[in-house]
Amino acid sequence: MPASRDQTGSSILLDCNTAVNDNAGCGVRAPTAFSYGPIFNANEGGWYSVERTNTYIKVWFWARNDVSVPTDVRNGAPSVDTSNW
């Protein structure tokens, strides 16, 4: 895993090999406390979106009151264009 990757969170581990780090993977710590647990619930949730291809996995999160939630996500569009995010 490259030391630098396009993300807003902080890398936890950089070695994604399943044979090391007790199979912990290449985690990323979200830059906000609104993404899980009691704070997530108190904020009435939010949106998660996942894009998986043969070469990468991308995950987005927006808190319920985040003004940057893409319109297609906020409105529940049947398809989305992640290149606009």
Side-chain angles (χ1 to χ4, degrees), residues 2-3 6 10 26 28 41-42 45-46 48-49 52 54 58 63 67 77 82 84:
D6 188 18
S10 304
C26 309
V28 175
N41 295 339
Y48 276 94
S49 182
R52 188 180 105 186
N54 289 334
K58 294 183 179 181
V67 297
T82 62
N84 294 325

Side-chain angles (χ1 to χ4, degrees), residues 8-61:
T8 56
S10 304
S11 298
I12 298 170
L13 296 170
L14 299 177
D15 191 339
C16 302
N17 186 333
T18 60
V20 298
N21 300 324
D22 295 319
N23 198 20
C26 309
V28 175
R29 183 172 289 114
T32 176
F34 294 117
S35 62
Y36 67 96
I39 296 174
F40 177 81
N41 295 339
N43 199 43
E44 299 181 7
W47 289 272
Y48 276 94
S49 182
V50 177
E51 178 180 25
R52 188 180 105 186
T53 72
N54 289 334
T55 56
Y56 62 82
I57 297 173
K58 294 183 179 181
V59 179
W60 292 264
F61 170 75

